Amino acid sequence: MSESSAEAVVAATANVAGAAGAANWRRAGIAGAAIGVLAAGAAAGVAVERLTVGRGMRKKARLALDATGPYGSLRGTPGRAVADDGTELYYEIDEVEVAPTTADEGASGSRRRRLFGRKAPAPVTVVFSHGYCLGQDSWHFQRAALRGLVRAVYWDQRSHGRSERGRSQADGVPVGIDQLGRDLKAVIDAAAPEGPVVLAGHSMGGMTMMALADQYPALIRDRVAAVALIGTSSGKLGEVNFGLPVAGVNAVRRVLPGVLKALGSQAELVEKGRRATADLFAGLIKRYSFGSKDVDPAVARFAERLIEATPIDVVAEFYPAFTEHDKSGALPGFRDVPVLILAGDKDLVTPSSHSEAIADVLPDAELVIVPDAGHLVMLEHPETVTDRLADLLVRSGTVPAANVGGHGSTAQQPGR
């Protein structure tokens, strides 16, 4: 994309910031789409191919993809944790049925438990933290593969998915990564109050885990058995250029504060615009979410639905936290446990160089750079991500053997 075209998109976005409250909702919608995808892992200024199919036909195609690719349909036992500001955080648990041992079977086993107060040890729990503008369903393929093998908790970060809108943010308190770390602690306390824990996080979810380690080092030392950091960063996100030329990214950064303020105050107007510019939005998502050109259309549509579900005012509300994020000092807290660091080699949002920087601090960690993969690597290359997660669980003693099913593949039936 040329610098002049990038500047043109930025200028259009800036016009919205200067005309907040005006009736030109179409421009507001274009800005909403641009900033919404930037927040989810994109930036304004991507070249979109000319569309040759009618709008009605494209809408029917999206509906057909929604019907044929029911990703995100897996459900577990629901629960709610309460954050320190009163925000209710929604989570689901996939339990594991533990077969009784021979000694525990029959009346003699029951009597033995009564006499000696025997209590089975708490199982290992894998806690999955999702990324910005996504939700717990973004782990669909990994969830399908791990069901029945390990106890797992999937939760929606505040203001995302089925969790409550952040109460502090409703009162005007800016959201920060430290708050997300405290939220994760509340979820662990509610859903996995005892026993070993494995932490897995994508993008913002990985940053949330770093904030947890920064604020609760004893928890990491005493209970965390392994860590998976996927497509994430420990800091310096303000230096990411999102694949734009220098002039383009500098222009975006100049106008972004004003645009975010305008979008936050015109949420209803901008949401209308997002719907009206769905095709532009889809092109941007594909560009900044995936690295390969042959992504399953149903998976690409699933990513769109996840991001579309995040209100634009939440997008605007969270974005400033990433430029302030710096948790490199918390990484040494993970040195004593098995660590997986994984990223796509074509990630334009949290480039693989950020994962390499984390690996420099954690030299014993397994570093995996996935070819032809973008930011949503767990959806684009689910087999690879699931395979490496399974290996981490085996190495940490969480599961006895690499016995993960084939549901980590987009070729499998997603709902089974």
Side-chain angles (χ1 to χ4, degrees), residues 7-8 19 71 77 149 151 161 181 208 232 316 325 367 375:
E7 292 280 7
Y71 303 119
T77 303
L149 292 177
R151 186 177 192 268
T208 299
T232 191
H325 167 63
L367 174 64
H375 190 56

Side-chain angles (χ1 to χ4, degrees), residues 260-295:
L260 289 172
K261 184 177 180 180
L263 293 174
S265 64
Q266 299 289 320
E268 184 176 352
L269 193 67
V270 174
E271 291 298 343
K272 288 183 179 180
R274 279 173 93 180
R275 293 190 293 272
T277 56
D279 296 313
L280 170 63
F281 195 63
L284 288 167
I285 290 174
K286 188 171 183 179
R287 161 69 172 161
Y288 285 99
S289 296
F290 305 111
S292 55
K293 295 181 180 179
D294 57 349
V295 178

Side-chain angles (χ1 to χ4, degrees), residues 180-233:
L180 304 184
R182 295 194 297 274
D183 290 352
L184 176 54
K185 174 62 161 56
V187 170
I188 292 173
D189 288 346
E194 56 183 3
V197 173
V198 173
L199 301 175
H202 168 250
S203 192
M204 182 177 75
M207 301 174 205
T208 299
M209 290 159 46
M210 297 174 203
L212 178 77
D214 192 33
Q215 298 173 92
Y216 305 98
L219 173 66
I220 305 301
R221 182 182 64 247
D222 298 339
R223 295 189 56 199
V224 172
V227 169
L229 299 165
I230 300 173
T232 191
S233 171

Side-chain angles (χ1 to χ4, degrees), residues 359-396:
D360 288 341
V361 182
L362 302 172
D364 293 331
E366 179 188 17
L367 174 64
V368 178
I369 305 299
V370 183
D372 294 321
H375 190 56
L376 300 187
V377 60
M378 68 284 188
L379 293 178
E380 185 175 13
H381 295 281
E383 302 95 330
T384 300
V385 175
T386 301
D387 178 71
R388 302 326 304 154
L389 276 174
D391 182 70
L392 178 70
L393 296 179
V394 171
R395 286 190 288 123
S396 64

Side-chain angles (χ1 to χ4, degrees), residues 5 17 30 115 118 127 165 167 205 356 358 387 398:
S5 59
I30 294 173
L115 288 174
R118 292 179 59 192
V127 181
R165 182 69 182 272
R167 294 191 181 185
E356 292 169 351
I358 295 173
D387 178 71
T398 303

Side-chain angles (χ1 to χ4, degrees), residues 72-80 90-96 136-137 139-140 143-144 146-148 150-156 162 191 415:
S73 60
L74 301 176
R75 300 269 66 90
T77 303
R80 293 189 181 274
Y90 179 83
Y91 64 82
E92 293 181 358
I93 302 175
D94 286 356
E95 296 283 5
V96 175
Q136 62 173 271
D137 290 342
W139 297 106
H140 175 86
R143 186 171 190 172
L146 294 173
R147 291 193 115 180
V150 65
R151 186 177 192 268
V153 172
Y154 303 86
W155 69 293
D156 292 324
R162 298 173 181 83

Side-chain angles (χ1 to χ4, degrees), residues 24-328:
N24 196 341
W25 61 265
R26 186 171 184 80
R27 286 188 177 180
I30 294 173
I35 300 302
V37 179
L38 185 146
V46 60
V48 179
E49 296 180 358
R50 183 179 297 276
L51 297 171
T52 58
V53 182
R55 178 176 294 179
M57 186 65 74
R58 293 193 300 273
K59 183 176 180 180
K60 290 181 179 179
R62 285 193 291 271
L63 292 174
L65 288 173
D66 291 345
T68 58
Y71 303 119
S73 60
L74 301 176
R75 300 269 66 90
T77 303
R80 293 189 181 274
V82 180
D84 55 5
D85 66 346
T87 301
E88 291 190 353
L89 305 168
Y90 179 83
Y91 64 82
E92 293 181 358
I93 302 175
D94 286 356
E95 296 283 5
V96 175
E97 290 187 9
V98 180
T101 63
T102 303
D104 288 337
E105 293 176 346
S108 60
S110 299
R111 182 170 181 271
R112 185 178 293 110
R113 286 194 296 272
R114 289 198 301 271
L115 288 174
F116 298 101
R118 292 179 59 192
K119 181 181 179 182
V124 179
T125 301
V126 186
V127 181
F128 287 87
S129 301
H130 67 78
Y132 185 30
C133 293
L134 298 171
Q136 62 173 271
D137 290 342
S138 62
W139 297 106
H140 175 86
F141 292 109
Q142 292 69 45
R143 186 171 190 172
L146 294 173
R147 291 193 115 180
L149 292 177
V150 65
R151 186 177 192 268
V153 172
Y154 303 86
W155 69 293
D156 292 324
Q157 302 232 37
R158 65 172 51 218
S159 303
H160 291 70
R162 298 173 181 83
S163 284
E164 185 182 11
R165 182 69 182 272
R167 294 191 181 185
S168 293
Q169 287 66 64
D171 294 334
V173 179
V175 69
I177 302 300
D178 284 339
Q179 175 65 70
L180 304 184
R182 295 194 297 274
D183 290 352
L184 176 54
K185 174 62 161 56
V187 170
I188 292 173
D189 288 346
E194 56 183 3
V197 173
V198 173
L199 301 175
H202 168 250
S203 192
M204 182 177 75
M207 301 174 205
T208 299
M209 290 159 46
M210 297 174 203
L212 178 77
D214 192 33
Q215 298 173 92
Y216 305 98
L219 173 66
I220 305 301
R221 182 182 64 247
D222 298 339
R223 295 189 56 199
V224 172
V227 169
L229 299 165
I230 300 173
T232 191
S233 171
S234 60
K236 298 185 178 180
L237 287 169
E239 300 176 5
V240 176
N241 64 13
F242 301 104
L244 291 174
V246 174
V249 74
N250 287 341
V252 168
R253 287 172 181 155
R254 283 198 305 271
V255 303
L256 192 55
V259 171
L260 289 172
K261 184 177 180 180
L263 293 174
S265 64
Q266 299 289 320
E268 184 176 352
L269 193 67
V270 174
E271 291 298 343
K272 288 183 179 180
R274 279 173 93 180
R275 293 190 293 272
T277 56
D279 296 313
L280 170 63
F281 195 63
L284 288 167
I285 290 174
K286 188 171 183 179
R287 161 69 172 161
Y288 285 99
S289 296
F290 305 111
S292 55
K293 295 181 180 179
D294 57 349
V295 178
D296 181 346
V299 172
R301 174 57 189 157
F302 176 47
E304 289 176 47
R305 288 183 5 233
L306 287 171
I307 296 171
E308 287 170 355
T310 308
I312 197 66
D313 47 348
V314 172
V315 172
E317 187 175 271
F318 272 67
Y319 185 75
F322 300 110
T323 58
E324 300 170 5
H325 167 63
D326 182 0
K327 285 291 180 282
S328 55

